[in-house]
Amino acid sequence: MAETSSRTLVCSVLFAELAGYPQLPGSEQLRRKRMLKAQVAQELVQVSMAERVVQEIASGIAVAFLVDAEAALATAIGLQADAGKLPLRIGLTLGTVHVVQDLNGQTAIVGEGVNDAQRVAAHAATGQALAAGSYREVVSRLSPDHAAVFRVVA
C-alpha cells in the first residue's frame, strides 16, 4: 500500500466473513461477495461516508466506524437479521486502525483493529456475531439496552 498520508484512530471495527468461502467455486464466491456487499451497503445507509471506511478483504468485508460505536452493533444486528441469505460469521472489536490510501488512491484500513475483528469472527459459528471484551465494555456503558444484547462466553 502506498502510505502517502495516514491517520491512526481508535474505533469500532466489524468484520463480516463469508463462512466456507475458500471452498466455493469462483462463480459462487463472486455471487456471495456481491450479495454481502449489497447487504453491508444497505445496513450502512444511515452511517455517513465520512464516519466509516469499508474495506473488502478476501473472504469478507471490514468496516471501521470512525465515530459511532453503536453503529457497528446496529450493523451487526442488521446483518444477522438477513443471515438466512448468506452464511456469515461476524466479529466486533474496538482497536486501532490506520486509514491510508491504497495503490489506486482509494481509502483503506489496516492495523490491529482489523486483524482483531477477523480473529473474533473466526471464532464465531456460522450465523453468529461475537464481540471482543473491549467492544462489549464500551458499548454496554452507552446504554443498558446494549448491555442486554451481550452474553459473556469464555
Side-chain angles (χ1 to χ4, degrees):
M1 274 192 190
E3 293 189 40
T4 56
S5 64
S6 173
R7 294 186 306 163
T8 302
L9 304 166
V10 175
C11 60
S12 299
V13 182
L14 175 147
F15 185 71
E17 179 177 54
L18 290 160
Y21 184 83
Q23 292 79 29
L24 298 171
S27 60
E28 185 61 15
Q29 286 180 346
L30 288 172
R31 187 183 78 75
R32 289 189 186 185
K33 197 68 168 273
R34 281 188 203 110
M35 289 176 66
L36 177 58
K37 288 193 305 191
Q39 279 183 253
V40 170
Q42 179 62 38
E43 294 303 325
L44 293 176
V45 165
Q46 300 299 320
V47 181
S48 163
M49 289 182 72
E51 296 180 358
R52 61 180 164 84
V53 178
V54 180
Q55 176 79 39
E56 255 188 87
I57 300 174
S59 63
I61 294 178
V63 183
F65 294 85
L66 308 177
V67 176
D68 186 1
E70 294 168 298
L73 180 60
T75 301
I77 291 169
L79 289 171
Q80 274 194 298
D82 288 337
K85 297 177 183 175
L86 284 173
L88 293 180
R89 298 186 306 202
I90 299 170
L92 294 161
T93 193
L94 183 70
T96 57
V97 298
H98 306 279
V99 180
V100 298
Q101 298 298 309
D102 68 14
L103 291 173
N104 297 313
Q106 301 297 312
T107 302
I109 50 175
V110 296
E112 294 82 9
V114 176
N115 297 338
D116 291 347
Q118 284 181 288
R119 282 190 209 100
V120 171
H123 290 287
T126 300
Q128 184 180 37
L130 291 180
S134 58
Y135 180 81
R136 180 184 54 81
E137 285 295 320
V138 168
V139 173
S140 293
R141 292 173 193 264
L142 296 175
S143 166
D145 293 335
H146 297 334
V149 170
F150 297 102
R151 181 174 47 99
V152 177
V153 292

